[in-house]
Amino acid sequence: MLVLKSPVLKLTFKHNKLESYKDYIVSSTLNKPQYMLLFYQKENETIDDAILATYIVNDKPLVYIYNTHQKEAYTNGKTVLDASYLMKQELSKYNIDTLVEDRDITEFMKVNNMSYNYSYYASKFYVKDTLSKNKLDLIIDLHRDAVSKDVSTAQIGDKKYAKVLFVIGGEHENYKKNYALAQKLNNLIVTKYPTLTRGIVVKTGSNVNGIYNQDLADNIILLEVGGHNNSFDEVNNTITVIAQIIGDYINGKG
């Protein structure tokens, strides 16, 4: 069981992979106060968590971008986290505020001896925390794929772009709403840049997560931007146009 002691946020969290008595610091996404998390495990504990927190209403549209796999990198070593900050910069041009999750999910997993297979459970901790405190217009889990360069790259005019792919988890009862959102965004991309998108994939069955935290809200999407063979210049080109698409959607122009 994990208890977060704070006048702002009270959180309980249980996970049967947590070791006894470990302390870990998590800073708030918004105003960065430091919280001490105390972990302790009971025999036969099951996964259970609940968050109660102060709710903040923003005066402009607000997007939250996080990276379940924060270390995923492109050819020059820049990562999906760098791509998230670039997206934030571009969205600001459309009067949209963005929260980028900069708390270290990889370190969180390391401290708690979570294997790679538990990545989405780890990132869920942060998504729930952020959801509990903010009215979010869109939530993006930004990744990059591991496919060949010809699959992940588009030539549009004189520029190369990192193709995008929407991934929807089909193993929760609300997935059709997440799919509908991905479809709207994908259709907007197809209208302006038909070769930029690889479409939408719904994942179910063995060896996939099947949920991707999308059971938490109707407006969560997983977006693959390019692949490991793409340069960050190609990612930059894509982020520029995708931010415009998202801006049109959120501002009611799409």
Side-chain angles (χ1 to χ4, degrees):
M1 184 176 182
L2 173 158
V3 179
L4 174 54
K5 298 179 180 179
S6 163
V8 176
L9 186 147
K10 178 182 178 183
L11 181 148
T12 59
F13 179 90
K14 293 188 286 185
H15 194 288
N16 57 6
K17 291 288 183 180
L18 301 181
E19 289 189 345
S20 300
Y21 296 104
K22 283 194 173 181
D23 291 336
Y24 179 61
I25 296 295
V26 172
S27 57
S28 169
T29 304
L30 287 175
N31 52 14
K32 306 248 180 292
Q34 300 293 315
Y35 298 121
M36 178 67 74
L37 306 187
L38 177 62
F39 296 84
Y40 59 95
Q41 181 180 337
K42 295 180 180 179
E43 187 177 358
N44 299 321
E45 269 191 334
T46 58
I47 295 171
D48 182 29
D49 60 271
I51 296 178
L52 298 173
T54 302
Y55 191 74
I56 298 170
V57 178
N58 204 40
D59 60 354
K60 292 196 292 186
L62 183 62
V63 172
Y64 173 53
I65 305 175
Y66 70 102
N67 313 102
T68 293
H69 301 142
Q70 286 176 326
K71 304 299 184 184
E72 287 181 334
Y74 297 100
T75 56
N76 63 348
K78 287 196 173 182
T79 67
V80 290
L81 183 57
D82 294 308
S84 298
Y85 279 111
L86 181 59
M87 179 78 82
K88 175 179 180 174
Q89 176 183 317
E90 290 298 315
L91 286 174
S92 69
K93 298 176 182 179
Y94 305 97
N95 200 36
I96 296 171
D97 286 341
T98 305
L99 297 175
V100 173
E101 184 55 74
D102 60 359
R103 293 174 289 186
D104 196 329
I105 295 173
T106 303
E107 179 65 17
F108 179 86
M109 294 177 65
K110 180 180 178 181
V111 166
N112 293 293
N113 291 330
M114 290 180 174
S115 68
Y116 186 81
N117 291 337
Y118 280 85
S119 296
Y120 288 97
Y121 202 93
S123 63
K124 187 173 189 174
F125 176 92
Y126 297 104
V127 178
K128 291 192 74 172
D129 180 25
T130 304
L131 270 169
S132 72
K133 294 185 288 187
N134 302 277
K135 181 183 181 297
L136 301 171
D137 295 88
L138 180 64
I139 303 167
I140 303 171
D141 187 5
L142 198 153
H143 292 249
R144 67 105 175 103
D145 212 341
V147 292
S148 62
K149 182 74 183 275
D150 62 314
V151 172
S152 66
T153 310
Q155 180 83 35
I156 303 175
D158 60 352
K159 292 182 179 180
K160 288 186 177 181
Y161 294 75
K163 285 189 175 185
V164 299
L165 174 70
F166 294 89
V167 178
I168 299 298
E171 295 185 0
H172 63 97
E173 60 184 16
N174 225 23
Y175 89 92
K176 290 183 179 179
K177 293 183 178 180
N178 302 107
Y179 182 87
L181 170 58
Q183 194 171 41
K184 286 179 183 178
L185 293 171
N186 190 65
N187 288 344
L188 288 173
I189 297 170
V190 169
T191 299
K192 294 185 176 182
Y193 310 96
T195 62
L196 186 60
T197 176
R198 295 165 54 202
I200 306 169
V201 173
V202 178
K203 291 197 174 183
T204 61
S206 58
N207 300 319
V208 299
N209 180 273
I211 298 177
Y212 305 108
N213 295 332
Q214 292 163 6
D215 57 329
L216 296 178
D218 299 340
N219 60 347
I220 299 180
I221 57 170
L222 191 158
L223 184 66
E224 304 267 12
V225 179
H228 63 295
N229 291 312
N230 285 106
S231 70
F232 203 71
D233 285 341
E234 292 163 346
V235 172
N236 190 350
N237 292 337
T238 297
I239 292 292
T240 300
V241 299
I242 294 301
Q244 181 186 8
I245 295 293
I246 292 172
D248 287 347
Y249 167 74
I250 290 179
N251 292 319
K253 296 178 182 179

